[in-house]
Amino acid sequence: MMNNNFNNSGILTLGEVSNIIMMDSIPAVKKWLTSKNIRINKFSKANYVYEIEVLCELDKQLALNLKWKNPTQWKEMYKCVAKNSAIYELVLIQIGEEDVYKPINKVKTKGTKDEKLLNELLSL
């Protein structure tokens, strides 16, 4: 079940990222962040990153592992363990698997009257 628990500020210090990704050195954390294209921001002499970016990077690997192991049900499985719906949606977008709803049937018209009605409905 997804919840919406985030750090109150939505930002993490590099020390907090270090704890989350279990790396001891700040230079290693910076290298990891850079390798994941997560921008390190500076505010009042402190470096920080957005929490959602770190959490998405961690979840992205989980989603890819589930996709590899269970190609037909991985989205449903990942949705069960995703930390919240925002992370779930962002991870799907980042790995190019966002849910796209396409129409199942094509509409065929039988004349100009039907064509006109179809165009009116599509313009709504």
Side-chain angles (χ1 to χ4, degrees):
M1 181 176 200
M2 290 186 234
N3 60 43
N4 289 316
N5 293 332
F6 278 107
N7 170 330
N8 288 337
S9 64
I11 60 174
L12 298 170
T13 66
L14 298 187
E16 290 170 323
V17 175
S18 172
N19 291 335
I20 291 170
I21 64 173
M22 296 176 277
M23 287 187 176
D24 292 334
S25 77
I26 296 301
V29 170
K30 286 182 177 180
K31 187 175 180 180
W32 183 83
L33 291 168
T34 302
S35 75
K36 302 298 183 185
N37 293 319
I38 297 175
R39 185 175 177 182
I40 299 171
N41 302 289
K42 193 168 189 104
F43 180 74
S44 184
K45 297 184 183 179
N47 290 321
Y48 71 91
V49 295
Y50 289 99
E51 180 181 26
I52 189 108
E53 291 183 287
V54 172
L55 296 177
C56 282
E57 277 304 317
L58 295 173
D59 266 30
K60 191 186 304 181
Q61 193 57 56
L62 170 62
L64 291 170
N65 289 348
L66 289 171
K67 183 177 180 181
W68 178 72
K69 288 180 183 178
N70 305 286
T72 58
Q73 293 182 311
W74 71 272
K75 284 184 190 178
E76 293 81 12
M77 295 171 77
Y78 173 57
K79 193 171 194 173
C80 291
V81 296
K83 291 168 186 66
N84 64 47
S85 58
I87 291 173
Y88 171 78
E89 295 293 333
L90 285 171
V91 167
L92 288 186
I93 291 168
Q94 288 177 359
I95 63 176
E97 290 288 342
E98 66 270 17
D99 291 326
V100 177
Y101 298 101
K102 294 181 181 177
I104 297 172
N105 299 321
K106 289 188 176 185
V107 176
K108 285 189 174 182
T109 58
K110 291 186 177 183
T112 57
K113 187 176 177 183
D114 289 345
E115 186 74 37
K116 185 178 176 184
L117 177 60
L118 176 62
N119 287 334
E120 286 176 20
L121 291 171
L122 291 174
S123 68
L124 295 178

